[in-house]
């Protein structure tokens, strides 16, 4: 669970985040949607302690994880790094070590996470369909991969340790249509199998509606609507909002 309390961030005269209170529940697949400048990436960077809030805080609570970590409550990422064992994320290419091959990068992530190489190899088998023969065994450095394949490496890295919370910024970007569909199944299956909380932002409204159980609509750094999305129930309201905008 993620709890936001009086969270504010401003860049000059621009208000990038102003959220008095918001809770993301265990097991939610939360889609963050909004036009450019709405504050989606800023919110993710606050979640991951990549930028400092002007006011307020984010708190993590972890009921359980698929990697057998103990439960934790009310962890402020600014004050402790223990949350990093529970959270898998990919925001942009800056998360990658691009002078490694994908296999070397995954081996490194596994090692620092306490996984053995056989465990890493076994876990990577779950991503064979998503990789589609373009990631593994290609003997290419990450820096030499296409934008879509770099995105795949980032998404796989976020899921590799089977975290209990997954944060992905624009994960459908650069992916071909087949890979987008595979990713939707990958994320919903992971949520169903592990009970993980998944938070994505995307400009692809339909993909977001398809996989999200709940959708938060951001505008000028504020969450202006919190919509349940059982069987796409938020579709009409979202389409009306973006049509009007």
């Amino acid at each position: 669970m993620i709890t936001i309390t009086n969270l504010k961030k401003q860049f000059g005269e621009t208000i990038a985040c102003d959220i008095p209170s918001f809770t993301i529940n265990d097991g939610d697949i939360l889609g963050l949607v909004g036009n450019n400048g709405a504050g989606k990436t800023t919110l993710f960077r606050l979640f991951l302690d990549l930028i400092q809030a002007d006011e307020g805080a984010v708190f993590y609570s972890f009921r359980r994880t698929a990697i057998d970590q103990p439960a934790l409550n009310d962890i402020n990422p600014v004050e402790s790094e223990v949350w990093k064992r529970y959270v898998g994320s990919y925001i942009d290419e800056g998360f990658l070590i691009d002078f490694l091959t994908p296999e070397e990068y995954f081996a490194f992530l596994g090692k620092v996470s306490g996984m053995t190489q056989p465990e890493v190899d076994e876990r990577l088998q779950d991503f064979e369909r998503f990789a589609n023969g373009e990631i593994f065994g290609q003997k290419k450095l990450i820096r030499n991969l296409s934008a879509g394949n770099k995105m795949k490496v980032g998404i796989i890295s976020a899921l590799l340790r089977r975290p209990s919370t997954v944060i992905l910024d624009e994960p459908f970007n650069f992916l071909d249509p087949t890979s987008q569909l595979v990713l939707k199944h990958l994320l919903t299956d992971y949520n169903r199998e592990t009970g993980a909380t998944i938070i994505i932002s995307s400009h692809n409204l339909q993909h977001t509606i398809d996989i999200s159980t709940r959708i938060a609509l951001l505008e000028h750094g504020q969450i202006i609507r919190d919509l349940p999305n059982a069987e796409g129930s938020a579709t009409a309201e979202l389409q009306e909002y973006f049509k009007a905008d």
Side-chain angles (χ1 to χ4, degrees):
M1 182 170 69
I2 301 176
T3 304
I4 296 171
T5 303
N6 192 34
L7 190 64
K8 295 183 179 181
K9 181 64 180 178
Q10 191 164 334
F11 298 102
E13 298 299 317
T14 301
I15 297 174
C17 182
D18 182 8
I19 303 175
S21 178
F22 192 71
T23 299
I24 302 168
N25 300 310
D26 290 330
D28 277 350
I29 303 181
L30 177 72
L32 294 181
V33 299
N35 289 319
N36 289 334
K40 303 183 295 296
T41 299
T42 295
L43 183 56
F44 280 169
R45 291 188 177 278
L46 290 166
F47 283 167
L48 299 172
D49 192 31
L50 296 174
I51 57 175
Q52 185 175 0
D54 297 328
E55 296 181 34
V58 172
F59 295 96
Y60 287 105
S61 295
F62 301 101
R63 179 184 56 196
R64 65 174 184 81
T65 75
I67 52 176
D68 298 323
Q69 296 285 359
L72 293 174
N73 291 303
D74 296 330
I75 302 299
N76 185 336
V78 176
E79 299 174 349
S80 170
E81 294 194 350
V82 67
W83 61 275
K84 293 181 179 180
R85 301 201 303 258
Y86 300 76
V87 178
S89 62
Y90 184 68
I91 303 298
D92 57 39
E93 290 182 22
F95 279 48
L96 305 176
I97 304 176
D98 68 359
F99 57 81
L100 300 178
T101 66
E103 288 90 344
E104 290 170 339
Y105 180 54
F106 298 138
F108 168 76
L109 292 178
K111 185 175 182 179
V112 299
S113 302
M115 299 172 69
T116 66
Q117 189 58 47
E119 288 173 334
V120 172
D121 294 339
E122 181 179 2
R123 179 70 178 125
L124 290 177
Q125 292 177 15
D126 294 342
F127 303 103
E128 288 283 357
R129 185 180 176 208
F130 183 52
N132 193 33
E134 299 173 327
I135 303 296
F136 307 130
Q138 300 304 299
K139 299 182 180 179
K140 286 185 177 181
L141 301 181
I142 292 172
R143 66 171 60 142
N144 295 328
L145 297 176
S146 68
N149 286 333
K150 288 178 184 177
M151 178 64 74
K152 289 182 180 183
V153 171
I155 293 168
I156 293 170
S157 71
L159 296 171
L160 181 68
R161 297 174 296 115
R162 298 184 70 82
S164 61
T165 298
V166 179
I167 297 173
L168 300 173
D169 194 14
E170 297 288 351
F172 299 104
N173 273 6
F174 310 117
L175 299 184
D176 59 63
T178 297
S179 296
Q180 291 177 3
L181 293 175
V182 173
L183 177 58
K184 289 199 292 186
H185 288 293
L186 181 66
L187 294 177
T188 53
D189 289 348
Y190 183 77
N191 169 263
R192 184 179 64 253
E193 292 166 4
T194 68
T197 303
I198 298 176
I199 312 165
I200 69 164
S201 74
S202 180
H203 284 118
N204 190 311
L205 189 61
Q206 190 56 56
H207 286 337
T208 305
I209 290 170
D210 287 346
I211 70 170
S212 300
T213 59
R214 180 181 173 197
I215 294 178
L217 177 58
L218 277 75
E219 183 178 283
H220 303 305
Q222 298 181 323
I223 297 176
I224 61 171
R225 298 180 198 175
D226 179 10
L227 305 173
N229 189 48
E231 298 184 1
S233 60
T235 301
E237 188 167 348
L238 290 170
Q239 288 179 341
E240 182 62 26
Y241 171 84
F242 287 107
K243 179 182 177 182
D245 260 32

